[in-house]
Amino acid sequence: MATIKQPSNPEADPRVKAVFDDIRATRKTDFVNNLWRSLAFNPALLESTWAEVKQVMATPSHLDPLTKELIYIAVSIANSCSYCVHSHTAAARAKGMTDEQHAELLAIVSLAAKTNHLANGLQLPLDAAFDAGAAA
Amino acid sequence: MATIKQPSNPEADPRVKAVFDDIRATRKTDFVNNLWRSLAFNPALLESTWAEVKQVMATPSHLDPLTKELIYIAVSIANSCSYCVHSHTAAARAKGMTDEQHAELLAIVSLAAKTNHLANGLQLPLDAAFDAGAAA
Amino acid sequence: MATIKQPSNPEADPRVKAVFDDIRATRKTDFVNNLWRSLAFNPALLESTWAEVKQVMATPSHLDPLTKELIYIAVSIANSCSYCVHSHTAAARAKGMTDEQHAELLAIVSLAAKTNHLANGLQLPLDAAFDAGAAA
Amino acid sequence: MATIKQPSNPEADPRVKAVFDDIRATRKTDFVNNLWRSLAFNPALLESTWAEVKQVMATPSHLDPLTKELIYIAVSIANSCSYCVHSHTAAARAKGMTDEQHAELLAIVSLAAKTNHLANGLQLPLDAAFDAGAAA
Amino acid sequence: MATIKQPSNPEADPRVKAVFDDIRATRKTDFVNNLWRSLAFNPALLESTWAEVKQVMATPSHLDPLTKELIYIAVSIANSCSYCVHSHTAAARAKGMTDEQHAELLAIVSLAAKTNHLANGLQLPLDAAFDAGAAA
Amino acid sequence: MATIKQPSNPEADPRVKAVFDDIRATRKTDFVNNLWRSLAFNPALLESTWAEVKQVMATPSHLDPLTKELIYIAVSIANSCSYCVHSHTAAARAKGMTDEQHAELLAIVSLAAKTNHLANGLQLPLDAAFDAGAAA
């Protein structure tokens, strides 16, 4: 079940083919997952989404690739995106995540959720010490 | 404003004092932030919450301390916990997070939120390749 | 799988039949979807829910019918309600939503989610100019 | 700060006055809180919202009044509604919630959030035993 | 589909067996549901999660067992955790929840969600009367 | 309070000045709100965020400008982003949203939230009729 009809032959459209080729080259795999196959129903949305994912996630930066995937999984769990949890857990594993790190990720995410709900239940006043906007 | 009345002299209770002492020793600071001061209204809840935070966040493990804070912030943003975003951003900075890493964290978290909503809007079928539960 | 047992012959109950008849008449279709078939387990809950949906969504008002469905989908995506995303995307399409409008809806929803997370990460101070409550 | 301008003399409108009078009579207090004062900007929305709150929360039913408030707080925490957490915690206290029960509510809510995130991270298959929809 | 591979013979590990035995003894049933079978991939995470669930949910306290399950379901619905809604609805039913109470739970949860979104849309100022932190 | 220190003279950086100039020209106002002033701490993040907001929200498209703002507000309410609800409600009003339309938006958003929670509580099976992915 899906809310859009996946194009049956998406690469007949040269804009789609260009994105799929770049996904395969960037990820060094022939596999193009359903997110991209579905977004092919609108080439402009496909292009802009992939460009941003490539820029943020597949370009050398100030955080290492595995850390970036762990952050991505954390947000996806909190937003209850089943597809994203699956796809980014697979990606993290491909980037070297061990079972111990996976268990620890789940422990941190679920602890954060726990204290998020505690703090939202207490409606705590902010400590002045946390204000990064204050003059030094 | 808060939903509980913070005890005015929480360390008069020896159970509270023991937790506050451990917080100060573990974090090597005299500062005990409002989450703990508020939880002091129920020493058992204070003890169990701190024990878990100390175990998960302040014990050497399979992920480095800064990565753990970044994951914590990511969940707190997605769950819209203002207090937690403030306290853990301050903690990440204390553990060495640079402005560039902070900007990158925000870029990843907001991109993940974007694709979470895209995937939830498309109601994508899962790719069989993502199934970690399948027989090898 | 479901958390309640859908009544096998719901229209044997005249209160349920009256609601189903009104759904069919209002929507000009014989199709009564599972939300209503499930709510039939409690006729009072079925009646009050349908009465509100009919009043808000199927009565001429200050917003056009398609705009109302787009807003409904947007909330359903953000709240991660798979059933609701499916049912209201189908409803929007029945009210004339084109593929281009669907792609644009997804682009807006996912951009909003992105900046929601950015703003929650930055914990921005509100601009005084946004205060509708201020004296003119 | 607010997104609407609270009417300065809301009870000049007889529809608003009728709702406020009913709130005061139902709750046996002169205090009408800001949610209702704000909704007064649109009498129809005020009327329908109060009618539902009165019906669900202030009418004798199958759950006792304090249990209903605890459920309301739980949802409000999870949805990060600061106003609602404040107003319903005050309501629960007015209906007899003790400090011990408040601490326990927070412990349950935050534990549920923790296992919600664990289960969403694991993407667990449902146990067939949970299916209430199955034939008996 | 799942993000971890459930151990095929989890009770070969004595730490896992001890937890499963305690689950069976505490719940007086032979049934151990998938959450625990999945967490068996990391015995430490399994032990700490079960210890907390047992302490909070299966120990006599200031709230009765059914009320605790209703609160748990409420949070799980708001956090959109399909597995948790299923497992805790089954648990509530096992503790005596009637169909009328189930319908009422759903009515309260969905009304709370409605006013949560109303209040978040209005961005209401807090009433001073709600401040539990104020001096008496 | 904020998690980053807003640059005191952001337009000293030519990249920031270029974005601010474009915001003022696009919106035909001298007012640059805090989201952009805060993002100025990282010019690349500022540039990419503004470019996307301008493309999606300020370019003629398949949906009219007010409808786009209503969708944006809906998502922001559901994600509990206080800043975004304020800024986009102000934007919607600037684009002609009347008080009646605002009330109706709130009625739709809160009804959607209500049925989202109902459907997530019922864990409804999807109707086959909703499957857009099915062969025609």
Side-chain angles (χ1 to χ4, degrees):
Chain A
M1 301 265 316
T3 61
I4 59 109
K5 192 171 173 60
Q6 236 183 58
S8 56
N9 183 15
E11 301 189 57
D13 181 320
R15 292 173 69 185
V16 172
K17 183 173 188 315
V19 173
F20 282 20
D21 282 346
D22 196 32
I23 290 173
R24 286 183 284 246
T26 303
R27 296 182 166 173
K28 301 184 201 331
T29 172
D30 275 349
F31 177 56
V32 176
N33 57 297
N34 278 334
L35 176 66
W36 310 111
R37 295 188 175 280
S38 295
L39 285 175
F41 91 103
N42 190 280
L45 186 58
L46 171 70
E47 287 170 343
S48 62
T49 306
W50 167 246
E52 187 174 354
V53 168
K54 184 182 178 183
Q55 169 61 32
V56 174
M57 297 302 285
T59 307
S61 65
H62 302 279
L63 295 171
D64 68 274
L66 178 52
T67 296
K68 295 201 274 195
E69 288 294 345
L70 298 179
I71 293 166
Y72 215 114
I73 298 170
V75 175
S76 302
I77 291 173
N79 281 333
S80 197
C81 179
S82 174
Y83 185 87
C84 313
V85 173
H86 274 290
S87 63
H88 287 275
T89 302
R93 211 171 264 125
K95 288 176 183 167
M97 181 179 72
T98 63
D99 275 2
E100 286 76 17
Q101 288 173 322
H102 192 194
E104 192 170 335
L105 170 69
L106 294 173
I108 297 167
V109 168
S110 57
L111 171 60
K114 178 180 173 171
T115 61
N116 291 168
H117 284 63
L118 262 182
N120 280 345
L122 292 165
Q123 291 289 312
L124 290 169
L126 292 169
D127 303 76
F130 295 151
D131 189 7
Chain B
M1 301 262 320
T3 60
I4 59 108
K5 194 173 171 60
Q6 235 183 58
S8 56
N9 184 15
E11 301 190 57
D13 181 321
R15 292 172 70 186
V16 173
K17 184 173 188 314
V19 172
F20 282 20
D21 282 347
D22 196 32
I23 291 172
R24 285 184 286 245
T26 303
R27 296 181 166 174
K28 301 185 201 331
T29 171
D30 276 350
F31 178 55
V32 176
N33 57 297
N34 278 334
L35 176 65
W36 310 111
R37 294 188 175 281
S38 295
L39 285 176
F41 92 102
N42 190 280
L45 186 58
L46 172 69
E47 287 170 342
S48 62
T49 306
W50 167 247
E52 186 174 355
V53 168
K54 184 182 178 183
Q55 170 61 32
V56 174
M57 297 301 285
T59 307
S61 65
H62 302 278
L63 295 171
D64 68 274
L66 179 53
T67 296
K68 296 201 275 193
E69 287 295 344
L70 299 179
I71 294 166
Y72 215 114
I73 297 170
V75 175
S76 302
I77 291 173
N79 281 334
S80 198
C81 179
S82 175
Y83 185 86
C84 313
V85 173
H86 273 290
S87 62
H88 287 276
T89 302
R93 212 171 263 126
K95 287 174 183 168
M97 180 179 72
T98 63
D99 275 4
E100 286 76 17
Q101 289 172 322
H102 192 194
E104 193 170 334
L105 170 69
L106 294 173
I108 297 166
V109 167
S110 57
L111 171 60
K114 179 180 174 171
T115 60
N116 292 169
H117 284 63
L118 262 182
N120 281 344
L122 292 165
Q123 291 289 314
L124 291 169
L126 292 169
D127 302 75
F130 295 152
D131 189 6
Chain C
M1 301 262 317
T3 61
I4 59 109
K5 193 172 172 60
Q6 235 182 60
S8 56
N9 184 14
E11 300 189 57
D13 181 321
R15 292 173 69 186
V16 172
K17 183 172 188 315
V19 172
F20 282 20
D21 282 346
D22 195 32
I23 291 172
R24 286 184 285 245
T26 302
R27 296 182 167 171
K28 301 184 201 329
T29 172
D30 275 349
F31 178 55
V32 176
N33 58 297
N34 278 332
L35 177 64
W36 310 111
R37 294 189 176 281
S38 295
L39 285 175
F41 91 103
N42 190 281
L45 187 57
L46 172 70
E47 287 170 342
S48 63
T49 306
W50 167 247
E52 187 175 354
V53 168
K54 183 182 178 183
Q55 168 61 33
V56 174
M57 297 301 285
T59 307
S61 65
H62 302 279
L63 295 171
D64 67 275
L66 178 53
T67 297
K68 296 201 275 194
E69 287 295 344
L70 298 179
I71 293 166
Y72 215 114
I73 298 171
V75 175
S76 302
I77 291 173
N79 280 335
S80 197
C81 178
S82 175
Y83 185 87
C84 313
V85 173
H86 274 290
S87 62
H88 287 276
T89 302
R93 211 171 264 126
K95 288 176 183 166
M97 181 179 71
T98 63
D99 275 4
E100 287 75 16
Q101 288 172 323
H102 192 195
E104 192 170 336
L105 170 69
L106 295 173
I108 297 167
V109 167
S110 58
L111 171 60
K114 179 181 175 171
T115 61
N116 291 169
H117 284 64
L118 263 182
N120 280 344
L122 292 165
Q123 291 289 312
L124 290 169
L126 292 169
D127 302 75
F130 296 151
D131 190 6
Chain D
M1 301 264 317
T3 61
I4 59 108
K5 194 172 172 61
Q6 236 182 59
S8 57
N9 184 15
E11 301 190 57
D13 182 321
R15 292 172 69 185
V16 173
K17 183 172 188 315
V19 173
F20 282 20
D21 282 346
D22 195 33
I23 291 173
R24 285 184 285 245
T26 303
R27 296 182 166 172
K28 301 185 200 331
T29 171
D30 275 349
F31 178 55
V32 176
N33 57 296
N34 278 331
L35 176 65
W36 310 111
R37 294 187 176 282
S38 295
L39 285 175
F41 91 104
N42 189 281
L45 186 57
L46 172 69
E47 286 170 343
S48 62
T49 307
W50 167 247
E52 186 174 355
V53 168
K54 183 181 178 184
Q55 169 62 33
V56 174
M57 297 301 286
T59 306
S61 64
H62 302 279
L63 295 171
D64 68 275
L66 179 52
T67 296
K68 295 201 274 194
E69 287 296 344
L70 298 180
I71 293 166
Y72 215 113
I73 297 171
V75 175
S76 302
I77 291 173
N79 280 334
S80 197
C81 179
S82 175
Y83 185 86
C84 312
V85 173
H86 274 289
S87 62
H88 286 276
T89 302
R93 210 171 265 124
K95 288 175 183 167
M97 180 178 72
T98 64
D99 275 4
E100 286 75 15
Q101 289 173 321
H102 191 194
E104 193 170 334
L105 169 70
L106 295 173
I108 297 167
V109 168
S110 57
L111 171 60
K114 180 181 174 170
T115 61
N116 291 170
H117 285 63
L118 263 182
N120 280 344
L122 292 165
Q123 290 290 312
L124 290 169
L126 292 169
D127 302 75
F130 295 152
D131 190 6
Chain E
M1 302 262 319
T3 61
I4 59 109
K5 194 173 172 59
Q6 235 183 57
S8 56
N9 184 15
E11 300 189 58
D13 181 321
R15 292 173 68 186
V16 172
K17 183 172 189 314
V19 172
F20 282 19
D21 282 346
D22 196 32
I23 290 173
R24 287 184 284 245
T26 303
R27 296 182 166 173
K28 301 184 200 335
T29 171
D30 275 349
F31 178 55
V32 176
N33 58 296
N34 277 333
L35 177 65
W36 310 110
R37 294 188 176 281
S38 295
L39 285 175
F41 92 103
N42 189 281
L45 187 56
L46 172 69
E47 287 169 344
S48 63
T49 306
W50 167 247
E52 187 174 353
V53 169
K54 184 182 177 183
Q55 170 60 35
V56 174
M57 297 301 287
T59 308
S61 65
H62 302 279
L63 295 172
D64 68 275
L66 178 53
T67 296
K68 295 201 275 194
E69 287 295 344
L70 298 180
I71 294 166
Y72 215 112
I73 297 171
V75 175
S76 302
I77 291 173
N79 280 333
S80 196
C81 178
S82 175
Y83 185 86
C84 313
V85 173
H86 274 290
S87 63
H88 287 276
T89 302
R93 212 171 264 125
K95 289 176 182 166
M97 181 178 71
T98 63
D99 275 3
E100 287 75 15
Q101 287 173 322
H102 192 194
E104 193 170 335
L105 170 70
L106 295 173
I108 297 167
V109 168
S110 58
L111 171 61
K114 178 180 174 172
T115 61
N116 292 169
H117 284 64
L118 262 184
N120 280 344
L122 292 166
Q123 291 289 312
L124 290 169
L126 292 168
D127 303 75
F130 295 151
D131 189 6
Chain F
M1 301 260 323
T3 61
I4 60 109
K5 193 172 172 61
Q6 234 183 59
S8 56
N9 184 15
E11 300 189 57
D13 181 321
R15 292 172 69 185
V16 172
K17 184 173 188 315
V19 172
F20 283 20
D21 282 347
D22 195 32
I23 291 173
R24 286 184 285 245
T26 303
R27 296 182 166 171
K28 301 184 200 331
T29 170
D30 275 349
F31 178 55
V32 177
N33 57 296
N34 278 332
L35 176 66
W36 311 110
R37 294 187 176 282
S38 296
L39 285 175
F41 91 103
N42 190 281
L45 187 57
L46 172 70
E47 287 170 344
S48 62
T49 306
W50 167 246
E52 187 175 353
V53 168
K54 184 182 178 183
Q55 170 61 33
V56 174
M57 297 301 286
T59 307
S61 64
H62 302 279
L63 295 171
D64 68 276
L66 178 53
T67 296
K68 295 201 276 194
E69 287 296 344
L70 298 180
I71 294 166
Y72 215 113
I73 297 170
V75 175
S76 302
I77 290 173
N79 280 333
S80 195
C81 177
S82 174
Y83 185 86
C84 313
V85 173
H86 274 290
S87 63
H88 287 276
T89 302
R93 211 171 265 124
K95 288 175 184 167
M97 181 179 72
T98 63
D99 275 3
E100 286 75 16
Q101 289 173 321
H102 192 193
E104 192 170 336
L105 170 70
L106 295 173
I108 297 167
V109 168
S110 58
L111 171 61
K114 178 180 174 172
T115 60
N116 291 169
H117 284 65
L118 261 183
N120 280 345
L122 291 166
Q123 292 289 312
L124 290 169
L126 292 168
D127 302 74
F130 295 151
D131 190 6

